[in-house]
Amino acid sequence: MLFIVREQRDKTTCPNLLVLSKGCENIGFMSPATIKNHYEAIIVGAGAAGMSAALSLSRSLKKDNREGGESPSILVISKLQPLRSHTGSAEGGIAASLGNEEQDDWHWHYYDTIKGGDWLADQDAVEVLAREAKKTVTRLEHEGVAFSRREDGRIAQRKFGGHTSEFGGKPVKRAAYAADRIGHQILHSLWQQCVQMGVTFAEEWYVTDLVLDKSKTANKKAKTENASAEDDAAGTTPAQPWATACGLVVLDTHTGQTRAISSDTIMLCTGGAGRLFHTTSNSWDLTGDGMALALKAGLQLEDIEFIQFHPTGLGHTGFLLSEASRAEGGILRNSEGRAFMRDYAPEHGDLAARDVVSRSIMAEIDAGRGVADPRDPDGPRDCVWLDMRGVGEDRMKSLLPQVYETICKYANLNPAVDLIPVKPTAHYTMGGIPITTRGQVYRWVDGQRRSVEGLYAAGECSCVSVHGANRLGGNSLLDACLFGTRAGEAMARRITAIASSHQEDQSLGMEAASNHAPDDRSARNENLMNQALSKRQSAMDHMLSSSEPEDRNEDSPDVESSDDINAYLLMQELGRIMEKAVAVRCDQTSIDKALSQINHLHNKALTLKSHSTEAALNQELTAMMEVDNLLTLSKAVLAASGDRKESRGALFRQDHPERDDVHFLSHSMVDCDGNIDWQPVHIVDMPPQGRQY
């Protein structure tokens, strides 16, 4: 069937979208040999954000290509086969004020998101999120997402933490769901639509470098070609460009070859960085690659110190037990059997915002009221109980099948009769690559947003600043699908504008063109790409070179053999360091200690050598680059955490326990060297208030 779809695609006028992901030979869409050295656009990542962007981009360009001319070439590079993307792990729901179960209003959603983010979210961006949520869910329904239904046929909705009616009143049913597998439904539906549109998926290619041109000539040229003016009315359009996108260096993991692929329009949709921590709900591949690419290219990350810990990870596995388990009646209890959340959140209890619930759990554990995992009864008492016995087994199997199966399979417990051990697990990165509401990446320079022309981002790797210091449940899928779509539309406008500009240049004729100084941009880009490719190849050659015994002093206690360390062990050690330093709570001592330890780890990482000298199908080689990305990102997280001397949302500093709006109602902007700048929060009509649940 896949080959038939490809044949149909070739007969249409829709753009020839190419999505690179791991394992393409096995599905027959294309051979790596057909990959070109230049594309009009490249999307990196094939989760909800990447595939939403691919669909939006292809549909927009198809509309613009009514004349039947040559379709722009578009490449989407994914680290995984798209149906393995972490979007598929989202369980509880996608937030939208549909009002199907009870009265709701997008203004209430707007307020809840700002309050949930502890007033650090940009309110103009949150307005877009809340206002466009209903349209986004309706579009997903039309794409084929099989939402759970009410008896009258409308989409069913459930309560989720922090979502209320009447601007902070009683909890409201706002999360549209598909049992507890909404991410799975969205991912498969978007995939099917991409196949129908002719999006070609090639798999298991790994992006190693993002190449930017920071020369003034390139930036001046790019400014004239940027046709996106959607943010002008809101006053958020970045000022004079800071750099221009050139292309990417990528590793074909099947052949072991590195390639330089140039493009005027690039989008990063690479997901989060849960692997920074030992206990995480994130899949194995979420190693912060896109964020690290941006840092290494000279860009900044915004609000990267805010990392959400989901309150209910299955004890000592990190596996997520959806917030829906509490929305359907689950209750958190301490070792005394007491439902403790009303002590910390009198009105909302177990459905308070996630950062509040996670801190409450840790407070109970610190007070000696934690419980041990039943699988290790003599182990640490670092969990609390999740009591789902009141939900009922039949209701669980109907509305929470994934939660039920996860508990039965991995804890060997029956949630209908047993108490379940849970503890906070690293779940979501609120910060990331700074973008506008149209996905345009920028750098904060001298109090201005300076755009990176041709570079876009969306999803968890980005920060459009709708989540602030803490994300509400149900808003992540909405963020990815909505802003992925908007960025795809902006990319289409840019591609169309560049094509029109080239046509105008050609219409000048040879005589007129000869009166203009030659544009050396292409030559400069080619030079930059070749330099990046050569540097990456040298680094890979070093990692693949055998480590000779005579190069090491076996008697030195300070030097470890390359056989003693590997990328996987370093990831484990990094996860334990970060968990002790900044998981749920931190202070300056824990941050400074972690920075020292991570510097030591980075020195170890520089000595890593692959146990195989072959680059093809060498997972260890990829892991070595992933651990380098994680180490780069961890330093940025710690630097930003150290500079923000207050507690806000997911960041709780025990040495600065209060929120400080006077000095820190601003976004941290951190670069690869740990330099911090501050960008004011966009306050529109919701001035900061107290935050009680």
Side-chain angles (χ1 to χ4, degrees), residues 24-49:
C24 57
E25 294 88 345
N26 297 329
I27 62 174
F29 274 100
M30 65 165 293
S31 164
T34 65
I35 294 174
K36 301 183 295 184
N37 292 326
H38 176 81
Y39 288 85
E40 274 80 5
I42 303 176
I43 299 171
V44 184

PDB file of all heavy atoms in Angstrom, residues 24-49:
ATOM      1  N   CYS A  24      14.060   4.144   6.705  1.00  0.00           N
ATOM      2  CA  CYS A  24      13.271   4.409   5.507  1.00  0.00           C
ATOM      3  C   CYS A  24      13.313   3.277   4.501  1.00  0.00           C
ATOM      4  O   CYS A  24      12.363   3.048   3.787  1.00  0.00           O
ATOM      5  CB  CYS A  24      13.727   5.713   4.855  1.00  0.00           C
ATOM      6  SG  CYS A  24      15.462   5.738   4.420  1.00  0.00           S
ATOM      7  N   GLU A  25      14.431   2.527   4.435  1.00  0.00           N
ATOM      8  CA  GLU A  25      14.506   1.459   3.442  1.00  0.00           C
ATOM      9  C   GLU A  25      13.439   0.402   3.686  1.00  0.00           C
ATOM     10  O   GLU A  25      12.938  -0.237   2.782  1.00  0.00           O
ATOM     11  CB  GLU A  25      15.891   0.794   3.463  1.00  0.00           C
ATOM     12  CG  GLU A  25      17.026   1.710   3.029  1.00  0.00           C
ATOM     13  CD  GLU A  25      17.595   2.487   4.191  1.00  0.00           C
ATOM     14  OE1 GLU A  25      16.952   2.546   5.251  1.00  0.00           O
ATOM     15  OE2 GLU A  25      18.685   3.036   4.036  1.00  0.00           O
ATOM     16  N   ASN A  26      13.077   0.215   4.949  1.00  0.00           N
ATOM     17  CA  ASN A  26      12.139  -0.832   5.302  1.00  0.00           C
ATOM     18  C   ASN A  26      10.715  -0.505   4.865  1.00  0.00           C
ATOM     19  O   ASN A  26       9.900  -1.392   4.697  1.00  0.00           O
ATOM     20  CB  ASN A  26      12.165  -1.056   6.826  1.00  0.00           C
ATOM     21  CG  ASN A  26      13.527  -1.529   7.297  1.00  0.00           C
ATOM     22  OD1 ASN A  26      14.235  -2.198   6.564  1.00  0.00           O
ATOM     23  ND2 ASN A  26      13.894  -1.175   8.525  1.00  0.00           N
ATOM     24  N   ILE A  27      10.359   0.777   4.706  1.00  0.00           N
ATOM     25  CA  ILE A  27       9.003   1.123   4.325  1.00  0.00           C
ATOM     26  C   ILE A  27       8.909   1.496   2.853  1.00  0.00           C
ATOM     27  O   ILE A  27       7.837   1.688   2.327  1.00  0.00           O
ATOM     28  CB  ILE A  27       8.452   2.262   5.196  1.00  0.00           C
ATOM     29  CG1 ILE A  27       9.272   3.541   5.028  1.00  0.00           C
ATOM     30  CG2 ILE A  27       8.423   1.881   6.654  1.00  0.00           C
ATOM     31  CD1 ILE A  27       8.668   4.727   5.754  1.00  0.00           C
ATOM     32  N   GLY A  28      10.036   1.615   2.196  1.00  0.00           N
ATOM     33  CA  GLY A  28      10.028   1.742   0.760  1.00  0.00           C
ATOM     34  C   GLY A  28       9.661   3.094   0.205  1.00  0.00           C
ATOM     35  O   GLY A  28       9.390   3.225  -0.972  1.00  0.00           O
ATOM     36  N   PHE A  29       9.616   4.142   1.021  1.00  0.00           N
ATOM     37  CA  PHE A  29       9.245   5.447   0.492  1.00  0.00           C
ATOM     38  C   PHE A  29      10.337   6.037  -0.374  1.00  0.00           C
ATOM     39  O   PHE A  29      10.080   6.650  -1.379  1.00  0.00           O
ATOM     40  CB  PHE A  29       8.912   6.402   1.634  1.00  0.00           C
ATOM     41  CG  PHE A  29       7.486   6.287   2.076  1.00  0.00           C
ATOM     42  CD1 PHE A  29       7.166   5.556   3.200  1.00  0.00           C
ATOM     43  CD2 PHE A  29       6.476   6.888   1.359  1.00  0.00           C
ATOM     44  CE1 PHE A  29       5.855   5.452   3.598  1.00  0.00           C
ATOM     45  CE2 PHE A  29       5.173   6.783   1.756  1.00  0.00           C
ATOM     46  CZ  PHE A  29       4.863   6.058   2.876  1.00  0.00           C
ATOM     47  N   MET A  30      11.573   5.912   0.068  1.00  0.00           N
ATOM     48  CA  MET A  30      12.646   6.463  -0.733  1.00  0.00           C
ATOM     49  C   MET A  30      13.961   5.910  -0.244  1.00  0.00           C
ATOM     50  O   MET A  30      14.081   5.454   0.877  1.00  0.00           O
ATOM     51  CB  MET A  30      12.662   7.984  -0.665  1.00  0.00           C
ATOM     52  CG  MET A  30      12.977   8.549   0.696  1.00  0.00           C
ATOM     53  SD  MET A  30      13.398  10.269   0.602  1.00  0.00           S
ATOM     54  CE  MET A  30      14.934  10.185  -0.292  1.00  0.00           C
ATOM     55  N   SER A  31      14.954   5.958  -1.102  1.00  0.00           N
ATOM     56  CA  SER A  31      16.299   5.539  -0.744  1.00  0.00           C
ATOM     57  C   SER A  31      17.094   6.757  -0.356  1.00  0.00           C
ATOM     58  O   SER A  31      16.943   7.827  -0.954  1.00  0.00           O
ATOM     59  CB  SER A  31      16.950   4.834  -1.941  1.00  0.00           C
ATOM     60  OG  SER A  31      18.344   4.758  -1.757  1.00  0.00           O
ATOM     61  N   PRO A  32      17.983   6.641   0.641  1.00  0.00           N
ATOM     62  CA  PRO A  32      18.826   7.782   0.996  1.00  0.00           C
ATOM     63  C   PRO A  32      19.620   8.323  -0.183  1.00  0.00           C
ATOM     64  O   PRO A  32      20.012   9.476  -0.179  1.00  0.00           O
ATOM     65  CB  PRO A  32      19.742   7.205   2.073  1.00  0.00           C
ATOM     66  CG  PRO A  32      18.943   6.089   2.680  1.00  0.00           C
ATOM     67  CD  PRO A  32      18.161   5.512   1.553  1.00  0.00           C
ATOM     68  N   ALA A  33      19.843   7.499  -1.195  1.00  0.00           N
ATOM     69  CA  ALA A  33      20.604   7.952  -2.359  1.00  0.00           C
ATOM     70  C   ALA A  33      19.872   9.049  -3.125  1.00  0.00           C
ATOM     71  O   ALA A  33      20.483   9.796  -3.889  1.00  0.00           O
ATOM     72  CB  ALA A  33      20.894   6.773  -3.285  1.00  0.00           C
ATOM     73  N   THR A  34      18.564   9.152  -2.925  1.00  0.00           N
ATOM     74  CA  THR A  34      17.793  10.155  -3.659  1.00  0.00           C
ATOM     75  C   THR A  34      17.778  11.505  -2.948  1.00  0.00           C
ATOM     76  O   THR A  34      17.236  12.457  -3.470  1.00  0.00           O
ATOM     77  CB  THR A  34      16.336   9.693  -3.850  1.00  0.00           C
ATOM     78  OG1 THR A  34      15.707   9.613  -2.555  1.00  0.00           O
ATOM     79  CG2 THR A  34      16.275   8.341  -4.518  1.00  0.00           C
ATOM     80  N   ILE A  35      18.335  11.580  -1.767  1.00  0.00           N
ATOM     81  CA  ILE A  35      18.314  12.843  -1.030  1.00  0.00           C
ATOM     82  C   ILE A  35      19.236  13.848  -1.705  1.00  0.00           C
ATOM     83  O   ILE A  35      20.388  13.555  -2.018  1.00  0.00           O
ATOM     84  CB  ILE A  35      18.722  12.614   0.439  1.00  0.00           C
ATOM     85  CG1 ILE A  35      17.648  11.769   1.123  1.00  0.00           C
ATOM     86  CG2 ILE A  35      18.886  13.942   1.169  1.00  0.00           C
ATOM     87  CD1 ILE A  35      18.005  11.354   2.513  1.00  0.00           C
ATOM     88  N   LYS A  36      18.705  15.051  -1.896  1.00  0.00           N
ATOM     89  CA  LYS A  36      19.459  16.079  -2.596  1.00  0.00           C
ATOM     90  C   LYS A  36      20.300  16.893  -1.618  1.00  0.00           C
ATOM     91  O   LYS A  36      20.216  16.729  -0.410  1.00  0.00           O
ATOM     92  CB  LYS A  36      18.495  16.988  -3.355  1.00  0.00           C
ATOM     93  CG  LYS A  36      17.631  16.250  -4.378  1.00  0.00           C
ATOM     94  CD  LYS A  36      16.751  17.206  -5.149  1.00  0.00           C
ATOM     95  CE  LYS A  36      15.732  17.888  -4.269  1.00  0.00           C
ATOM     96  NZ  LYS A  36      14.799  18.750  -5.047  1.00  0.00           N
ATOM     97  N   ASN A  37      21.112  17.766  -2.165  1.00  0.00           N
ATOM     98  CA  ASN A  37      21.961  18.619  -1.338  1.00  0.00           C
ATOM     99  C   ASN A  37      21.297  19.941  -0.964  1.00  0.00           C
ATOM    100  O   ASN A  37      21.839  20.692  -0.150  1.00  0.00           O
ATOM    101  CB  ASN A  37      23.281  18.913  -2.063  1.00  0.00           C
ATOM    102  CG  ASN A  37      24.131  17.675  -2.204  1.00  0.00           C
ATOM    103  OD1 ASN A  37      24.130  16.812  -1.335  1.00  0.00           O
ATOM    104  ND2 ASN A  37      24.849  17.576  -3.318  1.00  0.00           N
ATOM    105  N   HIS A  38      20.134  20.217  -1.570  1.00  0.00           N
ATOM    106  CA  HIS A  38      19.425  21.462  -1.256  1.00  0.00           C
ATOM    107  C   HIS A  38      17.922  21.226  -1.314  1.00  0.00           C
ATOM    108  O   HIS A  38      17.414  20.523  -2.196  1.00  0.00           O
ATOM    109  CB  HIS A  38      19.794  22.579  -2.233  1.00  0.00           C
ATOM    110  CG  HIS A  38      19.006  23.835  -1.999  1.00  0.00           C
ATOM    111  ND1 HIS A  38      19.334  24.747  -1.025  1.00  0.00           N
ATOM    112  CD2 HIS A  38      17.869  24.315  -2.592  1.00  0.00           C
ATOM    113  CE1 HIS A  38      18.455  25.741  -1.024  1.00  0.00           C
ATOM    114  NE2 HIS A  38      17.559  25.504  -1.977  1.00  0.00           N
ATOM    115  N   TYR A  39      17.211  21.809  -0.344  1.00  0.00           N
ATOM    116  CA  TYR A  39      15.750  21.788  -0.331  1.00  0.00           C
ATOM    117  C   TYR A  39      15.238  23.184  -0.023  1.00  0.00           C
ATOM    118  O   TYR A  39      15.885  23.952   0.691  1.00  0.00           O
ATOM    119  CB  TYR A  39      15.230  20.796   0.728  1.00  0.00           C
ATOM    120  CG  TYR A  39      15.435  19.355   0.339  1.00  0.00           C
ATOM    121  CD1 TYR A  39      16.649  18.715   0.591  1.00  0.00           C
ATOM    122  CD2 TYR A  39      14.427  18.636  -0.292  1.00  0.00           C
ATOM    123  CE1 TYR A  39      16.851  17.397   0.221  1.00  0.00           C
ATOM    124  CE2 TYR A  39      14.622  17.308  -0.661  1.00  0.00           C
ATOM    125  CZ  TYR A  39      15.834  16.699  -0.408  1.00  0.00           C
ATOM    126  OH  TYR A  39      16.026  15.401  -0.778  1.00  0.00           O
ATOM    127  N   GLU A  40      14.061  23.470  -0.545  1.00  0.00           N
ATOM    128  CA  GLU A  40      13.454  24.772  -0.224  1.00  0.00           C
ATOM    129  C   GLU A  40      13.108  24.871   1.259  1.00  0.00           C
ATOM    130  O   GLU A  40      13.112  25.958   1.832  1.00  0.00           O
ATOM    131  CB  GLU A  40      12.195  25.009  -1.072  1.00  0.00           C
ATOM    132  CG  GLU A  40      12.456  25.623  -2.432  1.00  0.00           C
ATOM    133  CD  GLU A  40      12.920  24.595  -3.457  1.00  0.00           C
ATOM    134  OE1 GLU A  40      12.951  23.396  -3.132  1.00  0.00           O
ATOM    135  OE2 GLU A  40      13.249  25.005  -4.582  1.00  0.00           O
ATOM    136  N   ALA A  41      12.770  23.746   1.873  1.00  0.00           N
ATOM    137  CA  ALA A  41      12.445  23.751   3.301  1.00  0.00           C
ATOM    138  C   ALA A  41      12.800  22.406   3.916  1.00  0.00           C
ATOM    139  O   ALA A  41      12.704  21.363   3.264  1.00  0.00           O
ATOM    140  CB  ALA A  41      10.971  24.056   3.527  1.00  0.00           C
ATOM    141  N   ILE A  42      13.224  22.448   5.184  1.00  0.00           N
ATOM    142  CA  ILE A  42      13.514  21.233   5.946  1.00  0.00           C
ATOM    143  C   ILE A  42      12.810  21.338   7.292  1.00  0.00           C
ATOM    144  O   ILE A  42      12.911  22.354   7.984  1.00  0.00           O
ATOM    145  CB  ILE A  42      15.026  21.041   6.187  1.00  0.00           C
ATOM    146  CG1 ILE A  42      15.789  21.003   4.867  1.00  0.00           C
ATOM    147  CG2 ILE A  42      15.280  19.774   6.988  1.00  0.00           C
ATOM    148  CD1 ILE A  42      17.307  20.902   5.050  1.00  0.00           C
ATOM    149  N   ILE A  43      12.081  20.284   7.668  1.00  0.00           N
ATOM    150  CA  ILE A  43      11.475  20.173   8.992  1.00  0.00           C
ATOM    151  C   ILE A  43      12.200  19.059   9.731  1.00  0.00           C
ATOM    152  O   ILE A  43      12.335  17.950   9.211  1.00  0.00           O
ATOM    153  CB  ILE A  43       9.967  19.858   8.898  1.00  0.00           C
ATOM    154  CG1 ILE A  43       9.233  20.971   8.158  1.00  0.00           C
ATOM    155  CG2 ILE A  43       9.372  19.639  10.277  1.00  0.00           C
ATOM    156  CD1 ILE A  43       7.782  20.642   7.831  1.00  0.00           C
ATOM    157  N   VAL A  44      12.661  19.344  10.940  1.00  0.00           N
ATOM    158  CA  VAL A  44      13.375  18.344  11.737  1.00  0.00           C
ATOM    159  C   VAL A  44      12.448  17.866  12.844  1.00  0.00           C
ATOM    160  O   VAL A  44      12.135  18.609  13.769  1.00  0.00           O
ATOM    161  CB  VAL A  44      14.664  18.928  12.351  1.00  0.00           C
ATOM    162  CG1 VAL A  44      15.434  17.848  13.095  1.00  0.00           C
ATOM    163  CG2 VAL A  44      15.530  19.555  11.275  1.00  0.00           C
ATOM    164  N   GLY A  45      11.994  16.626  12.749  1.00  0.00           N
ATOM    165  CA  GLY A  45      11.095  16.062  13.747  1.00  0.00           C
ATOM    166  C   GLY A  45       9.747  15.722  13.151  1.00  0.00           C
ATOM    167  O   GLY A  45       9.210  16.467  12.327  1.00  0.00           O
ATOM    168  N   ALA A  46       9.181  14.581  13.559  1.00  0.00           N
ATOM    169  CA  ALA A  46       7.913  14.122  12.981  1.00  0.00           C
ATOM    170  C   ALA A  46       6.934  13.689  14.060  1.00  0.00           C
ATOM    171  O   ALA A  46       6.264  12.671  13.941  1.00  0.00           O
ATOM    172  CB  ALA A  46       8.165  12.975  12.001  1.00  0.00           C
ATOM    173  N   GLY A  47       6.848  14.478  15.137  1.00  0.00           N
ATOM    174  CA  GLY A  47       5.796  14.300  16.122  1.00  0.00           C
ATOM    175  C   GLY A  47       4.622  15.189  15.771  1.00  0.00           C
ATOM    176  O   GLY A  47       4.428  15.561  14.611  1.00  0.00           O
ATOM    177  N   ALA A  48       3.826  15.566  16.766  1.00  0.00           N
ATOM    178  CA  ALA A  48       2.633  16.377  16.500  1.00  0.00           C
ATOM    179  C   ALA A  48       2.991  17.717  15.876  1.00  0.00           C
ATOM    180  O   ALA A  48       2.334  18.160  14.926  1.00  0.00           O
ATOM    181  CB  ALA A  48       1.854  16.593  17.796  1.00  0.00           C
ATOM    182  N   ALA A  49       4.034  18.383  16.379  1.00  0.00           N
ATOM    183  CA  ALA A  49       4.410  19.691  15.834  1.00  0.00           C
ATOM    184  C   ALA A  49       4.953  19.555  14.419  1.00  0.00           C
ATOM    185  O   ALA A  49       4.561  20.308  13.517  1.00  0.00           O
ATOM    186  CB  ALA A  49       5.439  20.364  16.738  1.00  0.00           C
TER     187      ALA A  49
END
